[in-house]
Amino acid sequence: MKPIIDNITWDRIWIIFHISGLSDDSVVYISDISGSFSLPLKKSSDNPNEYMLNITNPGNSCMLPVGIYKLISSYDKDHPIQAALSDSGKISNYNRQFIYFHSERSYRVQFSDKEYLKIKASDVRLKNLPPIKKISSAIRRTRYDLAKAVLRSIYNIQYKLYHINASSDTSDPYILLMSDQSEEIGSNMAALKNALIREGYKPHTALRSVTTKHYNIFHWIHTLSKIAHADFIFLDDHSQTTDWLTIKGAVITQLWHAGAGFKSTGYSRFGLPASPAPKSGHRQYTYGIAGSRKIRHFFSEVWGINDEKVLPTGMPRLDSYLNEKHKDDTVKKLTETYPLIKKHLSKHLSENKKIILFAPTYRGENKKNAYYPYDKLDMDRLYKFCEKTDSVILFKMHPFVSELVPIPDSYHDRMLDMTDYPDINDLFYITDLLITDYSSNIYEFSLMKKPMLFYAYDIDEYSKERGFHRDYRKNVPGKIVETFDDMITALDQNDFEYEKVEEYISNNFDHIDDHACDRIIDWIIRGNLPHQKDDS
């Protein structure tokens, strides 16, 4: 029996081919029609007849190159797999367009089924831009391209000058902690910096906020000099600099803050607003880090790199978080600083009395327009619940949200805005219940083995606009409520589906200890990588 493609579906950036007539050990390849490009498709873990193609990374840490492709099997490499689709008369229904670069370009995937299934990948400039926008866009591109060309030349000169006389001594590498998102060092990076110093290294920093600030040429020359010197570069988020600067001779590691978030970002939302271009700085990562092997494929999807490049070291910020002395010192500091917290912790709590932390993510596309719709909260009813149960609520809004929490003056005896407090992890020690939505803060909080409640009032809208790169309803470690009434009911009844927490921990953590930084230093800087088991 010859293999036949009898169905095609899409899951965001994944094309899923249902192919009948193959043995269980068959391998399916995507190959260009000339045969010069060939990569195996990923086999679905849910259905042995489904083979999956990620167009943003078919296995080479790049987009599926522009070209025309066929599918072939290890069963018969000489003949492309034919299609027998139920709606073959509407093969164009499977076509997709992914718009990027300020809606000026489009990456397209198109199908035809004459003789055999052909997949055409193309990247085109959109022609429907109005003349004024075309002129404005061209001027902007020319100005930016010129500035970037000058900076690239400066970097290349610095790189050559440094490496002519560079020492071959690997015991004292140049380590650069770099951020384009903030002038303050982030939690993962701060933890790693402390560990590096403790181990005798001398890390350098290059911290900027290029999305909100402009820096002069002297600043850029100084920063490029550091990048040119670097043997190891650690990033804490997306770096706009790496989008246009090809970094040479450095091991680049992404220390992204999201332990195991749900919301789609990076290449997992390719073609949606704020998604990266086909070629971006993510492609330059030598490594990224994650909490476990089981979830590393979520991270590799976001960055458009292969699974084996994501190392399950654990998050550096957990090193202090899981340290008992740090916990005791932090709780003491909180009680000394905040009388409301001290008053409540000093009480003998019954089952209903709680310190509740309300910590959702932001709405809006980015830092500039971030907000949270406070009209989704009934402060009067929340306060009455606190009175009835002798509880308190701490609000910790996302740092991007600038609007203050609208707590009435008369409610400050049971409600406290902690948004300006620097580290949300500190608050987890004293929290009895976390209320959140799509935030990655559940990652650390789960290790406290306390209940969570997910107030996802806009789950359908959020899913369409932001997207999830794993099933939100099946994977959150707690009860989901979609209305404020249901949230109050869950609070009244202590109904949080707590049993989901243990399963979440087992899936998301290979290590529950305070040695994540030690693993990063040993595996990446010292080069002692462990054997990588494929659990993705």
Side-chain angles (χ1 to χ4, degrees):
M1 179 180 177
K2 289 186 176 181
I4 294 292
I5 302 168
D6 49 37
N7 193 24
I8 300 173
T9 56
W10 280 88
D11 179 8
R12 297 170 296 108
I13 55 176
W14 291 87
I15 311 174
I16 303 168
F17 301 95
H18 189 281
I19 305 176
S20 57
L22 290 174
S23 60
D24 290 342
D25 60 350
S26 294
V27 180
V28 175
Y29 298 86
I30 183 167
S31 173
D32 68 357
I33 55 176
S34 69
S36 61
F37 177 96
S38 181
L39 286 170
L41 301 190
K42 183 177 181 179
K43 200 165 187 176
S44 171
S45 58
D46 298 326
N47 188 328
N49 294 323
E50 288 183 349
Y51 296 81
M52 305 167 64
L53 170 67
N54 181 344
I55 61 164
T56 68
N57 177 22
N60 57 353
S61 295
C62 297
M63 294 292 297
L64 179 67
V66 169
I68 300 176
Y69 298 90
K70 58 188 176 183
L71 299 185
I72 57 176
S73 72
S74 54
Y75 168 82
D76 184 0
K77 293 185 177 181
D78 295 326
H79 297 92
I81 302 177
Q82 295 181 332
L85 305 170
S86 59
D87 57 349
S88 59
K90 298 179 181 178
I91 190 71
S92 61
N93 287 345
Y94 302 111
N95 296 347
R96 292 293 185 274
Q97 175 173 247
F98 300 85
I99 298 174
Y100 69 94
F101 193 66
H102 311 294
S103 301
E104 294 182 19
R105 295 199 67 90
S106 168
Y107 181 91
R108 295 175 179 173
V109 179
Q110 298 167 292
F111 297 88
S112 62
D113 59 353
K114 293 180 180 179
E115 299 181 59
Y116 57 88
L117 184 76
K118 293 180 181 177
I119 308 159
K120 180 181 179 182
S122 58
D123 195 324
V124 299
R125 180 176 297 282
L126 296 177
K127 299 180 180 179
N128 58 351
L129 293 175
I132 294 178
K133 187 172 182 180
K134 283 185 178 180
I135 295 172
S136 174
S137 175
I139 294 173
R140 184 181 68 247
R141 272 200 312 274
T142 300
R143 186 173 68 248
Y144 288 162
D145 288 348
L146 179 60
K148 291 172 183 176
V150 171
L151 293 174
R152 276 193 289 265
S153 297
I154 292 171
Y155 166 78
N156 288 328
I157 292 171
Q158 291 176 324
Y159 180 81
K160 289 179 181 178
L161 289 174
Y162 171 71
H163 285 276
I164 287 174
N165 300 311
S167 171
S168 59
D169 180 14
T170 58
S171 63
D172 186 25
Y174 191 108
I175 301 172
L176 180 62
L177 308 178
M178 175 176 163
S179 175
D180 279 352
Q181 300 292 331
S182 175
E183 292 181 342
E184 297 181 0
I185 194 165
S187 57
N188 273 343
M189 195 174 282
L192 180 59
K193 180 181 179 180
N194 292 335
L196 287 167
I197 294 171
R198 189 171 61 245
E199 290 294 311
Y201 295 102
K202 301 173 184 177
H204 303 261
T205 58
L207 309 175
R208 297 93 53 73
S209 181
V210 299
T211 56
T212 57
K213 287 189 175 183
H214 294 284
Y215 296 92
N216 60 40
I217 186 66
F218 301 106
H219 171 91
W220 277 104
I221 291 173
H222 184 58
T223 299
L224 292 171
S225 176
K226 292 181 178 181
I227 297 173
H229 279 65
D231 298 303
F232 296 91
I233 297 176
F234 291 92
L235 305 170
D236 67 347
D237 208 324
H238 172 229
S239 165
Q240 287 83 351
T241 302
T242 60
D243 287 340
W244 54 266
L245 181 69
T246 300
I247 297 175
K248 305 172 184 177
V251 173
I252 304 174
T253 303
Q254 176 58 258
L255 305 174
W256 192 38
H257 69 278
F262 294 100
K263 53 179 179 270
S264 209
T265 187
Y267 283 107
S268 69
R269 53 181 284 107
F270 179 60
L272 296 174
S275 73
K279 184 179 180 181
S280 78
H282 294 312
R283 308 290 196 184
Q284 297 197 59
Y285 302 158
T286 313
Y287 303 112
I289 66 168
S292 77
R293 291 179 178 87
K294 290 181 180 179
I295 64 170
R296 65 180 179 178
H297 60 287
F298 295 120
F299 293 79
S300 62
E301 179 183 292
V302 167
W303 299 324
I305 61 177
N306 293 353
D307 291 351
E308 61 269 18
K309 291 186 175 184
V310 182
L311 307 179
T313 61
M315 295 291 122
R317 62 183 182 269
L318 291 183
D319 286 1
S320 60
Y321 179 65
L322 294 173
N323 182 279
E324 284 299 322
K325 184 178 185 307
H326 175 78
K327 176 181 177 180
D328 293 342
D329 291 344
T330 299
V331 172
K332 181 180 179 182
K333 179 182 69 175
L334 286 169
T335 55
E336 290 175 349
T337 307
Y338 300 97
L340 180 60
I341 293 174
K342 179 179 181 180
K343 178 181 178 182
H344 204 73
L345 285 178
S346 64
K347 297 180 179 180
H348 177 70
L349 300 182
S350 68
E351 182 181 13
N352 290 325
K353 295 176 181 177
K354 296 179 178 66
I355 293 181
I356 300 169
L357 179 63
F358 184 80
T361 192
Y362 67 93
R363 304 305 190 270
E365 288 186 12
N366 51 45
K367 186 175 183 178
K368 293 181 180 179
N369 55 30
Y371 70 97
Y372 186 83
Y374 291 118
D375 60 343
K376 295 296 181 180
L377 300 176
D378 187 330
M379 291 297 189
D380 295 334
R381 292 180 66 186
L382 283 175
Y383 184 78
K384 288 178 181 177
F385 169 81
C386 289
E387 276 193 318
K388 180 174 66 176
T389 60
D390 196 16
S391 299
V392 300
I393 297 181
L394 310 179
F395 294 87
K396 184 76 168 73
M397 310 309 293
H398 192 281
F400 286 3
V401 177
S402 58
E403 184 180 359
L404 299 177
V405 182
I407 302 174
D409 291 342
S410 59
Y411 290 177
H412 283 158
D413 62 326
R414 294 196 177 276
M415 293 182 174
L416 184 60
D417 186 353
M418 299 286 290
T419 299
D420 289 337
Y421 188 83
D423 191 348
I424 189 174
N425 287 357
D426 290 356
L427 304 180
F428 293 161
Y429 297 137
I430 60 167
T431 296
D432 300 300
L433 169 69
L434 173 67
I435 302 178
T436 186
D437 44 21
Y438 320 111
S439 175
S440 60
N441 58 32
I442 61 174
Y443 183 72
E444 284 89 346
F445 188 77
S446 67
L447 294 177
M448 295 292 101
K449 296 185 178 181
K450 298 174 184 177
M452 289 174 256
L453 185 61
F454 293 83
Y455 181 32
Y457 63 86
D458 57 347
I459 185 170
D460 293 331
E461 178 185 350
Y462 196 90
S463 177
K464 290 176 183 177
E465 292 183 0
R466 289 287 311 189
F468 299 110
H469 58 175
R470 54 175 161 162
D471 193 315
Y472 179 81
R473 295 183 186 276
K474 291 182 180 179
N475 286 282
V476 295
K479 184 180 181 65
I480 299 172
V481 291
E482 298 182 42
T483 68
F484 186 84
D485 286 345
D486 287 344
M487 183 172 77
I488 291 295
T489 299
L491 288 171
D492 281 334
Q493 298 178 356
N494 283 304
D495 179 14
F496 310 124
E497 299 180 9
Y498 174 72
E499 66 277 3
K500 295 179 179 179
V501 173
E502 285 291 347
E503 181 182 0
Y504 179 86
I505 293 173
S506 67
N507 286 332
N508 288 276
F509 296 90
D510 280 358
H511 313 276
I512 302 177
D513 59 26
D514 55 0
H515 297 294
C517 289
D518 295 337
R519 283 184 286 273
I520 291 173
I521 293 171
D522 189 45
W523 295 2
I524 297 176
I525 295 178
R526 294 176 182 152
N528 298 321
L529 282 172
H531 174 68
Q532 286 293 292
K533 179 182 174 184
D534 184 9
D535 288 322
S536 58

